[in-house]
Amino acid sequence: MIATGAPLSDVLTSLVRIVERRVPGMLCSVLLLDDDGLHVRHGAAPSLPAEYVHAIDGQAIGPRNGSCGTAMFLRTQVIVTDILVDPLWTDYRDVAAQSGLRACWSTPIFSPERRVLGSFAVYYTEPHTPAGDELRLIDRAADLARIAIEQQRSQHALQQSEARNRAILRAIPDWMFVTTTDGVFLDYHAQDVSTLYVPPAAFVGRSVAEVLPPALADRLLHAFARVQTSDEPVKVEYTLGAEEAERFFEACIVRCESDKVLSIVRDITDRKRSELEIEAQRRELAHLSRVATLGELTGALAHELSQPLTSVGINAQAARHLLVGEPINVAELLETLEDIIRSNRRAGAVIERWRALLRKEQTALQPVNMNDVVREVVDLARHEVLTRRVRVTNKLAPDIPSVLGDRVQLQQVALNLVLNACDAMGDTLPLERQLVLATAQVGAFVELVVSDRGPGIPPGQLERVFEPFVTFRPNGLGLGLAISRSILDAHHGAIRAENNPEGGATFRCLLPVPSEPPGPVAG
């Protein structure tokens, strides 16, 4: 009956009847210890009066609580040969006498871990002392009762666990797939199978290479191989579907048993689209910031263009004069035309440099030398620096490695810092207006340092200066440093501010060096 999963009450009742048939006059019962470990519950007692069974069901165990309650409390066998005189039955003597019971022996039932599960009890209607065969029979019966109780509790625990797992699965929106290590689908979980890439009948029993696009299947098979040699999960992000209905997914892959892999797949389309929208907004804001910055530097642009254009005009007049002269000095005319060409190229370079900062389209990441960025920014801000009478000192480390980034955005960071430094030194004595730009390699990073001799950053505000719309400049918007930090974050870098002991502030930008030298970038 135990092996076939019969109900516990039926098993215990059959066990009690078998024991009672072995010894004439013996009445048996099985009590179970409640899950609280404090009260007894009826298990089986087919030959005892119903009134007595009802009276003791739910009673507490204790040191003087009859034979069964005392045996379970003391965790030892208790033998009472005469209930009417034994002090253990003081509180239960009347109910036992009304049922005609005079002797009771009780043996606790233990689990293999020595946890009390209940007790097997033997009653007689006359005072009775146990014989050796009777005690051995009770021990065997108690052991069989233990097996039955443990089997029932194990089944109950398994049923609870399965119900709990089913409830968890019902609450989890993610898909789950069990595969072999070589990628054959064995099982799956999905609240709505219509959301799957293909119906279950089209993938269960088949390999990922047969079901999924080749590039994705290769990535998943590579991840399956990795988790076999590691206890750490592997995450794979991918997309599925046509371009107009493309969705983003994240698979968390872990080892499951020795020859299986569990993949928990989550639809992250909303999150990815939000990230892409935020990135687009960041780029838009950075572009508008560049436009605003260049609007402030229109004087610099006019100055940069006036010199080559003036040179073009003067040389053009000289060339006309040479052409009407007699005889024509060809050598001098050629030299004058070369000057015009050089000036034209110089003006074109100025315009192209400024147009690059104004471009809105996204630039592909490419190797960027931060020394070149510093030189280009100094050229862009030359007029601003001269009119503000700021002395610029470059301390550029030779042979620093290139970083992988968007050249225009990195120029914007450096230009923001240079213009902020010039603004900060507006009230500084002209002789003390010094701007230092430095580069260096710091471990696995390239560092850009911009230092000024202004009043510094107010106490407690070193982190707040990077928050949007926080500014200490009378006419500032408070966006330059916030945008600079967002650009560096997008480049997996960082920026921090500090006050100089001798006065002024220093901003340090860190950009990671690629683990492998970047290859050529098309375009």
Side-chain angles (χ1 to χ4, degrees):
M1 292 176 71
I2 293 172
T4 58
L8 179 63
S9 59
D10 293 351
V11 175
L12 295 180
T13 298
S14 297
L15 174 63
V16 165
R17 291 192 183 281
I18 291 171
V19 175
E20 289 175 343
R21 286 197 296 269
R22 297 289 298 273
V23 181
M26 178 184 286
L27 308 175
C28 300
S29 77
V30 177
L31 288 177
L32 306 176
L33 185 61
D34 195 82
D35 289 338
D36 64 8
L38 301 174
H39 299 87
V40 299
R41 298 297 176 192
H42 170 66
S47 302
L48 294 179
E51 297 81 4
Y52 177 77
V53 172
H54 179 73
I56 63 173
D57 185 31
Q59 294 297 317
I61 64 174
R64 297 171 61 87
N65 290 41
S67 298
C68 293
T70 304
M72 284 187 268
F73 182 82
L74 298 179
R75 303 169 61 86
T76 188
Q77 188 178 62
V78 172
I79 296 176
V80 173
T81 57
D82 191 346
I83 292 174
L84 296 184
V85 299
D86 196 292
L88 297 181
W89 281 83
T90 300
D91 295 336
Y92 303 94
R93 187 171 291 126
D94 291 342
V95 67
Q98 291 172 7
S99 300
L101 303 175
R102 290 293 301 272
C104 180
W105 321 328
S106 183
T107 298
I109 301 171
F110 293 105
S111 72
E113 298 81 19
R114 297 294 294 175
R115 182 168 59 90
V116 176
L117 302 176
S119 67
F120 191 95
V122 172
Y123 293 86
Y124 286 93
T125 57
E126 297 293 337
H128 192 84
T129 300
D133 290 343
E134 292 174 326
L135 291 178
R136 283 191 293 274
L137 178 63
I138 294 170
D139 286 341
R140 292 178 182 176
D143 193 49
L144 282 172
R146 172 190 66 80
I147 296 173
I149 294 170
E150 284 204 307
Q151 173 74 0
Q152 188 264 353
R153 292 195 174 188
S154 296
Q155 289 179 345
H156 181 63
L158 179 60
Q159 291 169 355
Q160 284 186 319
S161 176
E162 290 176 344
R164 184 165 55 250
N165 290 339
R166 286 193 296 269
I168 291 172
L169 288 176
R170 287 196 301 271
I172 293 177
D174 302 337
W175 303 333
M176 298 184 187
F177 302 94
V178 177
T179 63
T180 61
T181 54
D182 55 357
V184 176
F185 288 101
L186 300 176
D187 200 1
Y188 74 97
H189 160 77
Q191 288 188 359
D192 182 1
V193 295
S194 67
T195 61
L196 294 172
Y197 180 62
V198 293
F203 68 82
V204 174
R206 300 178 65 188
S207 169
V208 295
E210 300 176 85
V211 177
L212 299 174
L216 174 57
D218 287 345
R219 292 178 62 196
L220 291 176
L221 289 172
H222 180 68
F224 293 169
R226 286 175 58 192
V227 298
Q228 290 306 302
T229 59
S230 171
D231 291 329
E232 297 298 321
V234 174
K235 290 188 177 182
V236 176
E237 286 192 10
Y238 60 93
T239 59
L240 279 176
E243 185 173 345
E244 63 276 5
E246 187 178 56
R247 301 196 68 81
F248 298 83
F249 300 95
E250 178 185 76
C252 183
I253 301 168
V254 295
R255 184 170 53 189
C256 176
E257 303 176 19
S258 60
D259 59 344
K260 296 180 180 64
V261 173
L262 173 66
S263 301
I264 301 175
V265 179
R266 174 169 297 177
D267 188 329
I268 58 171
T269 302
D270 292 341
R271 189 189 82 194
K272 292 296 289 186
R273 287 177 178 169
S274 295
E275 291 174 356
L276 292 173
E277 183 177 350
I278 291 171
E279 175 61 18
Q281 292 173 351
R282 185 193 66 78
R283 289 198 303 269
E284 180 71 18
L285 185 59
H287 173 253
L288 293 176
S289 175
R290 288 199 300 272
V291 172
T293 300
L294 294 179
E296 296 176 8
L297 296 178
T298 51
L301 176 59
H303 178 79
E304 290 278 351
L305 290 176
S306 64
Q307 289 181 348
L309 292 178
T310 299
S311 177
V312 168
I314 293 172
N315 282 301
Q317 291 176 3
R320 185 176 61 181
H321 179 74
L322 290 171
L323 283 173
V324 299
E326 289 292 344
I328 296 176
N329 188 333
V330 177
E332 190 174 354
L333 179 59
L334 288 174
E335 184 178 350
T336 302
L337 292 174
E338 287 293 335
D339 283 343
I340 292 175
I341 293 172
R342 281 194 296 270
S343 297
N344 179 71
R345 288 175 177 168
R346 180 180 170 192
V350 170
I351 293 172
E352 183 57 34
R353 192 164 62 230
W354 287 76
R355 284 180 60 192
L357 279 176
L358 281 170
R359 289 194 187 107
K360 186 177 180 180
E361 66 267 18
Q362 186 177 4
T363 306
L365 298 182
Q366 57 185 332
V368 178
N369 187 289
M370 290 306 295
N371 287 347
D372 294 339
V373 170
V374 171
R375 295 186 188 100
E376 292 159 357
V377 166
V378 170
D379 285 342
L380 284 169
R382 180 184 291 109
H383 183 264
E384 194 75 12
V385 168
L386 291 174
T387 56
R388 292 173 181 264
R389 300 168 66 183
V390 174
R391 288 184 297 113
V392 178
T393 302
N394 288 342
K395 297 182 178 179
L396 308 181
D399 302 324
I400 60 170
S402 295
V403 299
L404 196 62
D406 184 321
R407 188 182 200 87
V408 172
Q409 290 190 2
L410 295 179
Q411 285 178 346
Q412 182 176 358
V413 171
L415 185 59
N416 283 342
L417 296 178
V418 168
L419 295 180
N420 282 354
C422 291
D423 284 342
M425 292 186 286
D427 295 330
T428 303
L429 294 175
L431 292 177
E432 297 179 2
R433 295 176 189 170
Q434 184 173 5
L435 174 63
V436 177
L437 292 98
T439 59
Q441 183 173 3
V442 181
F445 294 85
V446 169
E447 183 182 53
L448 167 65
V449 179
V450 179
S451 182
D452 64 61
R453 294 298 297 273
I457 300 171
Q461 305 297 320
L462 288 175
E463 278 300 317
R464 289 200 65 224
V465 295
F466 297 106
E467 297 176 9
F469 307 110
V470 174
T471 181
F472 304 104
R473 296 160 51 193
N475 299 316
L477 292 177
L479 290 175
L481 289 176
I483 292 170
S484 296
R485 181 164 67 173
S486 73
I487 290 173
L488 290 169
D489 285 345
H491 284 73
H492 305 291
I495 183 173
R496 71 174 187 271
E498 59 190 49
N499 282 320
N500 304 325
E502 67 278 10
T506 294
F507 289 84
R508 299 182 182 275
C509 306
L510 291 173
L511 289 158
V513 177
S515 56
E516 295 182 1
V521 178

